[in-house]
Amino acid sequence: MRRLPLRSRGYGCFLTLTLCMALAASPAHAQNTAPHSTTGHHAKARTQPARNAAAKPAAPAGEQFADGIAAVVGKDVITMSDLNAAVQQASTSLKQQRIQAPPMDVMQRQVLNRLIMDRVMAQEAKRQGILLTDAQVDQAIAMIASRNHIAVAQMKAEIIKSGTSWDEYRKAIHDELLSDRLRQRVVDAKIFISDSEIDAFLKEYARSEAAAPKPAPAAAAPVPAQARVQPQVKIVPNGAVELSEILVHVPEGASPETVARARQKADSLLARIRKGADFASLAAANSDGPDALHGGKLGVRPLEGWPDLFVNAIRNLMPGQVTGVLRAGNGFHIVKVTARAMERVAVPVQQQAPAPNVQQLEAIPSAAAGTVEITQTHARHILIKVSAVMTDAEARQKLEEIRQRIVSGQAKFEDMARQYSQDSTASQGGDLGWLSPGQTVPAFEQAMDKLKPGEISEPVVSPFGWHLIEVIARRQHDATDEVRRNRARQILMERQAGPAFEDYMDQVQAQTFIDNRLVKAEELKQRYQQ
């Protein structure tokens, strides 16, 4: 198993959760107040073991970063001032999370690795023709504010109050959007989830729910209700789970000796955790994962949305509990259940155990109770993709010309779709059929929802290109079974898309010229110490 990127499909889930945690935080829970970018989730951290400097002569200062460059990534340069600013931001974030900061050389190396991956991601997105405007970032921020039922101005005040500057938060949103669009462009469209896979998943899902322990019935003795039962909490079988991890990376093709040393390090870290060491601080100082400087936090997912290796290890763990050392393809993992969905049940007094101190998360049910009525939209579209020969501006202008011909009565929408649309619906006149909420990407759905039947949108940009949308009709629909199946499809998509995108970014990184001056300086320092 390879480490998975943690975003759900679409940026709204993770970023909304981050904001909610920030708004709900009190000074006593400051660890939840700092939103952060997850762009670096999509590639392995390539860090070197920290070296303890002996009391020997250091390399001459003039040989260390004489040109003020920390790294070169393709044609981009990461300066020492860029690195120092990012290190300062990481230090502030760790302080807010009440996580002990690692030694400065470790923090510099981890932060620089993250900056390098940010540049690799941005360069690949540009190569793929994916560009984001300030207006698109503003639109995403407005959506997050709306989902949190607050005004953008209030959200901005809360973000700044949490210790993160507004510019930093906007960059986090930008990076999240860019990464999500890149993944959709290069990975998601190539993944096919069959009906048989969905059937098997739902069957297993139902089996695990049925196998979950049920609370024992209350004793029938004629005693007052308050004496007969007391509240207790239990795990929601397939509810949301928040995880943190410490990753000890093992390079591909590593020798048995290297693997043994990595295992020994992981065992040592696990022993320290079980003796009471702080998990987040150990992650910040020792984890090779890109989330190390966030205390190893991986985010929140439904239980079945995590990799099978994690699911099997954490299924019955309570919040605060830690797995053993887990062997995966990219190294050794130690996983902590930071929080998970719990529910209160009534337990007889004689069976009552002390209720654990848990942080509760909203459960994510596998299916809606009873009938789920939704509004479906029958729509069609014309898609023009952005490419090396079709710029963003040219695609939009082309659709504006097509729209003008349609609204003036010179052409029919379906005829224009057959002639110009660049997707598989072109032969059907761009007909998308009946669409349920969440079935299309957010930008497309937002524009479509604003239209009345018979109306045609202005050009709308999405990760796939530029669209014209026409709403044909709307209806109320019983979607109980569809909700279940769409949810299963989404989880199965995440399981496949995460590793596939990581592999893709590994290949991109391997093909990118990267000159890490920190590594060179450390090697030079080691030579002077010998």
Side-chain angles (χ1 to χ4, degrees), residues 352-372:
Q352 175 73 15
N357 182 19
V358 299
Q359 176 186 353
Q360 294 193 44
L361 297 176
E362 180 183 358
I364 302 181
S366 58
T371 299
V372 179

Side-chain angles (χ1 to χ4, degrees), residues 330-402:
N330 63 336
F332 296 97
H333 300 253
I334 302 171
V335 180
K336 177 181 178 179
V337 177
T338 309
R340 73 185 307 165
M342 309 291 289
E343 62 183 357
R344 296 197 173 276
V345 296
V347 179
V349 171
Q350 59 270 27
Q351 298 181 14
Q352 175 73 15
N357 182 19
V358 299
Q359 176 186 353
Q360 294 193 44
L361 297 176
E362 180 183 358
I364 302 181
S366 58
T371 299
V372 179
E373 287 283 342
I374 63 171
T375 300
Q376 286 189 319
T377 302
H378 186 193
R380 53 191 169 202
H381 79 143
I382 300 170
L383 170 65
I384 295 183
K385 298 179 180 179
V386 176
S387 65
V389 296
M390 176 66 72
T391 67
D392 198 72
E394 289 171 343
R396 177 171 186 164
Q397 182 179 357
K398 184 64 178 177
L399 283 180
E400 287 175 345
E401 294 171 356
I402 293 172

Side-chain angles (χ1 to χ4, degrees), residues 9 147 184 374-379 431-446 448-449 464 475 477 479 482-483 485-487 489-490 493:
R9 183 177 178 86
R147 290 179 177 177
Q184 290 178 357
I374 63 171
T375 300
Q376 286 189 319
T377 302
H378 186 193
D431 196 333
L432 295 168
W434 287 99
L435 300 173
S436 301
Q439 197 170 340
T440 62
V441 294
F444 188 100
E445 183 171 306
Q446 278 189 318
M448 180 179 69
D449 288 347
F464 302 100
R475 71 181 183 187
H477 177 65
E482 292 172 38
V483 167
R485 298 186 68 83
N486 285 340
R487 185 163 188 76
R489 186 185 304 277
Q490 185 179 33
M493 171 73 77

Side-chain angles (χ1 to χ4, degrees), residues 115-278:
L115 292 177
I116 288 172
M117 284 312 306
D118 286 350
R119 299 299 176 90
V120 171
M121 181 84 67
Q123 290 174 14
E124 178 61 12
K126 183 177 181 179
R127 191 184 73 83
Q128 292 285 342
I130 301 172
L131 300 174
L132 289 177
T133 64
D134 288 341
Q136 290 166 331
V137 176
D138 290 338
Q139 183 183 35
I141 290 173
M143 182 185 300
I144 296 167
S146 175
R147 290 179 177 177
N148 284 275
H149 308 292
I150 61 173
V152 171
Q154 181 185 351
M155 184 178 82
K156 180 177 180 178
E158 293 290 346
I159 294 297
I160 295 173
K161 184 179 177 181
S162 76
T164 299
S165 75
W166 187 242
D167 286 343
E168 291 168 356
Y169 187 73
R170 282 183 60 86
K171 184 179 185 304
I173 302 295
H174 176 278
D175 292 347
E176 191 87 8
L177 285 168
L178 196 68
S179 177
D180 193 63
R181 291 190 176 190
L182 180 59
R183 194 189 93 168
Q184 290 178 357
R185 173 75 59 85
V186 302
V187 171
D188 288 12
K190 300 176 182 178
I191 295 176
F192 174 73
I193 306 297
S194 68
D195 288 340
S196 60
E197 289 178 284
I198 294 175
D199 292 338
F201 176 86
L202 290 175
K203 185 176 181 179
E204 175 61 23
Y205 200 99
R207 187 199 65 77
S208 62
E209 284 191 317
K214 301 297 188 296
V223 293
Q226 64 269 27
R228 188 165 60 248
V229 294
Q230 294 184 14
Q232 174 66 297
V233 293
K234 74 179 186 72
I235 294 170
V236 175
N238 288 305
V241 185
E242 181 182 37
L243 299 181
S244 299
E245 76 160 355
I246 295 174
L247 168 64
V248 180
H249 177 59
V250 175
E252 190 171 343
S255 66
E257 293 77 12
T258 300
V259 174
R261 285 195 298 270
R263 176 66 197 230
Q264 184 178 14
K265 178 182 177 181
D267 288 338
S268 175
L269 291 171
L270 180 61
R272 292 173 64 184
I273 293 167
R274 288 178 172 168
K275 288 180 180 178
D278 181 61

Side-chain angles (χ1 to χ4, degrees), residues 286-484:
N286 298 279
S287 179
D288 294 328
D291 306 285
L293 292 180
H294 299 297
K297 286 188 177 180
L298 298 179
V300 181
R301 281 188 179 187
L303 174 66
E304 298 298 336
W306 292 103
D308 290 340
L309 179 68
F310 287 7
V311 171
N312 295 333
I314 67 169
R315 188 179 296 277
N316 298 315
L317 294 187
M318 297 295 286
Q321 292 185 321
V322 177
T323 67
V325 175
L326 308 177
R327 181 66 166 103
N330 63 336
F332 296 97
H333 300 253
I334 302 171
V335 180
K336 177 181 178 179
V337 177
T338 309
R340 73 185 307 165
M342 309 291 289
E343 62 183 357
R344 296 197 173 276
V345 296
V347 179
V349 171
Q350 59 270 27
Q351 298 181 14
Q352 175 73 15
N357 182 19
V358 299
Q359 176 186 353
Q360 294 193 44
L361 297 176
E362 180 183 358
I364 302 181
S366 58
T371 299
V372 179
E373 287 283 342
I374 63 171
T375 300
Q376 286 189 319
T377 302
H378 186 193
R380 53 191 169 202
H381 79 143
I382 300 170
L383 170 65
I384 295 183
K385 298 179 180 179
V386 176
S387 65
V389 296
M390 176 66 72
T391 67
D392 198 72
E394 289 171 343
R396 177 171 186 164
Q397 182 179 357
K398 184 64 178 177
L399 283 180
E400 287 175 345
E401 294 171 356
I402 293 172
R403 183 181 187 278
Q404 183 59 36
R405 292 181 63 186
I406 296 171
V407 298
S408 65
Q410 299 177 36
K412 294 182 179 179
F413 193 105
E414 53 268 39
D415 292 337
M416 292 292 95
R418 291 188 183 96
Q419 184 175 349
Y420 294 106
S421 190
Q422 297 175 329
D423 78 341
S424 59
T425 66
S427 60
Q428 289 84 45
D431 196 333
L432 295 168
W434 287 99
L435 300 173
S436 301
Q439 197 170 340
T440 62
V441 294
F444 188 100
E445 183 171 306
Q446 278 189 318
M448 180 179 69
D449 288 347
K450 293 177 182 178
L451 300 175
K452 297 177 181 178
E455 288 186 337
I456 299 173
S457 73
E458 297 290 338
V460 176
V461 68
S462 84
F464 302 100
W466 284 86
H467 310 255
L468 280 186
I469 308 169
E470 181 183 22
V471 170
I472 300 171
R474 285 198 171 91
R475 71 181 183 187
Q476 291 301 114
H477 177 65
D478 178 1
T480 307
D481 185 61
E482 292 172 38
V483 167
R484 290 172 55 83

